[in-house]
Amino acid sequence: MVKSLETPAVELLKPGVKAPVQETLLTPRFYTTDFDAVAKMDISAHEEEIRAVVEELKADYNRHHFVRDDEFKQSWDHIQGEKRLAFIDFLERSCTSEFSGFLLFKELSRRIKDSNPLLSEAFDYLARDEARHAGFLNKSMADFNLSLDLSYLTKNRTYTFFPLEWVIYTVYLSEKIGYWRYILVYRHMEKNPDFQFYPLFRKFESWCQDENRHGDFFKALLRSQPQLWNNWKARLWVRFFLLTVFATHTMTVFERANFYEILGVHPRKYNNQVIEETNKTAARAFPIILNTNHPYFFWYLEQCAINNQKIIELNNSKHGLIAKFFKKIPLMKNIVWYMLKLYLIKPINAEKNRQAVC
């Protein structure tokens, strides 16, 4: 059984406006990057594929999808207690994540408009989708008499600089793992409609197709840059980012296991399936993928999550700062140790398998 942490109570920035969650390693982050490096990218090796994806983005298949139909127009006051808190937490984190993507993509589009118009157009479409998602999620929060002040977030959140290579790796993975997270919940709801307590879940099938198209764009971008996949350094970085994204996902799911249980989803099984499917999908872009069939792979991930939960519980305890610091050291060492053990599991050569299929 996965032990969930209690969802914290809602804190307000001002009446009706939720205070942003405290920034941690697991909360959605805001990013910036080397815009000049993007402007100078040579995408000629995969330009045809990139243009094809841009045409798909331009078609905007979901432009009429995110409509708040009559099913939304009712009172949601009957959703109370832990269920209400957990769902609001889900809405906030999802909205913040989508809005973070919007800010990055919009700035990329603006900065490279003259120097790289094709990529600028693509990033503008990506920003359009992310803004649409964030807005829809924020309106869903309004059904629970709350909202996020997105302009406040823009000005007050910490922006983390990522080199362009890291942005491509992480955004590709976040879009693809997002696809699997949404589609698996949607399929579960289709089979178990009694758990569908709010109409947002009905939007997930088309929603996740946006995530898929975004991932396809970053896959084409990645493959256009041989230095991101065709050498030993790239293979080490790919391994690192796959592991980091999977570990973060596991920690997040375990931390919020109660939300998935409210949906009728088994947290451990859900987490494992999301990771397995994302790992398989990543073989289309990355030179290597992780060996999720290794007998200790998911056990090591869970040990990271368990130690992370102990750190969170310690942070919320009444111990003094010095006592907390020293008590956290062995827990952090445990996480690093299990991450290292995961990293050292021999990966699967996706490039070799791709060539064999061809």
Side-chain angles (χ1 to χ4, degrees), residues 87-289:
F87 189 51
I88 288 170
D89 181 72
F90 166 77
L91 291 172
E92 177 183 5
R93 288 169 185 272
S94 299
C95 181
T96 304
S97 178
E98 300 285 350
F99 187 64
S100 168
F102 160 74
L103 290 176
L104 176 62
F105 297 149
K106 196 65 180 177
E107 189 65 8
L108 278 164
S109 178
R110 186 182 72 81
R111 293 282 197 103
I112 65 173
K113 188 172 184 178
D114 296 326
S115 54
N116 204 326
L118 177 61
L119 291 188
S120 174
E121 182 183 8
F123 286 122
D124 192 44
Y125 294 143
L126 297 179
R128 172 203 66 201
D129 293 345
E130 301 288 332
R132 187 180 284 159
H133 298 168
F136 201 78
L137 287 160
N138 213 10
K139 287 177 182 176
S140 292
M141 284 188 68
D143 287 339
F144 297 85
N145 306 314
L146 291 168
S147 66
L148 288 178
D149 185 340
L150 298 180
S151 63
Y152 176 87
L153 284 179
T154 304
K155 297 172 185 174
N156 291 277
R157 285 297 285 262
T158 302
Y159 286 75
T160 303
F161 178 85
F162 261 25
L164 174 59
E165 295 84 355
W166 294 10
V167 169
I168 293 175
Y169 290 141
T170 53
V171 175
Y172 169 74
L173 281 172
S174 67
E175 298 289 355
K176 289 301 184 181
I177 204 169
Y179 168 81
W180 285 109
R181 289 178 67 247
Y182 285 124
I183 197 63
L184 290 177
V185 169
Y186 177 82
R187 290 172 182 170
H188 165 75
M189 293 293 191
E190 265 195 323
K191 295 176 182 176
N192 303 278
D194 291 347
F195 288 102
Q196 195 147 226
F197 63 85
Y198 185 76
L200 176 70
F201 302 111
R202 301 188 195 279
K203 304 291 183 179
F204 277 11
E205 184 180 32
S206 294
W207 189 319
C208 72
Q209 296 305 328
D210 281 345
E211 309 289 325
N212 209 27
R213 279 186 283 270
H214 295 186
D216 288 344
F217 168 73
F218 276 92
K219 176 246 182 184
L221 201 60
L222 188 153
R223 298 301 293 187
S224 74
Q225 309 298 304
Q227 73 276 15
L228 296 186
W229 58 271
N230 198 21
N231 57 66
W232 66 269
K233 286 184 181 179
R235 287 189 287 275
L236 292 178
W237 277 118
V238 163
R239 203 165 163 181
F240 171 78
F241 281 108
L242 279 165
L243 176 55
T244 303
V245 168
F246 293 163
T248 302
H249 188 266
T250 305
M251 291 178 189
T252 304
V253 169
F254 273 55
E255 185 182 338
R256 286 163 180 77
N258 57 345
F259 172 69
Y260 295 99
E261 288 164 355
I262 287 166
L263 301 184
V265 172
H266 190 290
R268 176 179 286 109
K269 292 179 180 178
Y270 172 74
N271 178 66
N272 291 5
Q273 189 174 2
V274 168
I275 288 173
E276 285 172 344
E277 297 294 350
T278 305
N279 194 54
K280 291 176 190 173
T281 301
R284 301 171 192 168
F286 289 162
I288 57 101
I289 56 174

Side-chain angles (χ1 to χ4, degrees), residues 42 56 208 238 263 301 341:
D42 178 8
E56 269 207 55
C208 72
V238 163
L263 301 184
L301 281 178
K341 289 169 81 72

Side-chain angles (χ1 to χ4, degrees), residues 11 15 21 25 40 46 78 96 116 138 158 193 247 264 344 350 358:
E11 294 183 13
V21 294
L25 288 174
K40 295 173 185 176
H46 281 253
H78 61 281
T96 304
N116 204 326
N138 213 10
T158 302
L344 293 177
C358 294

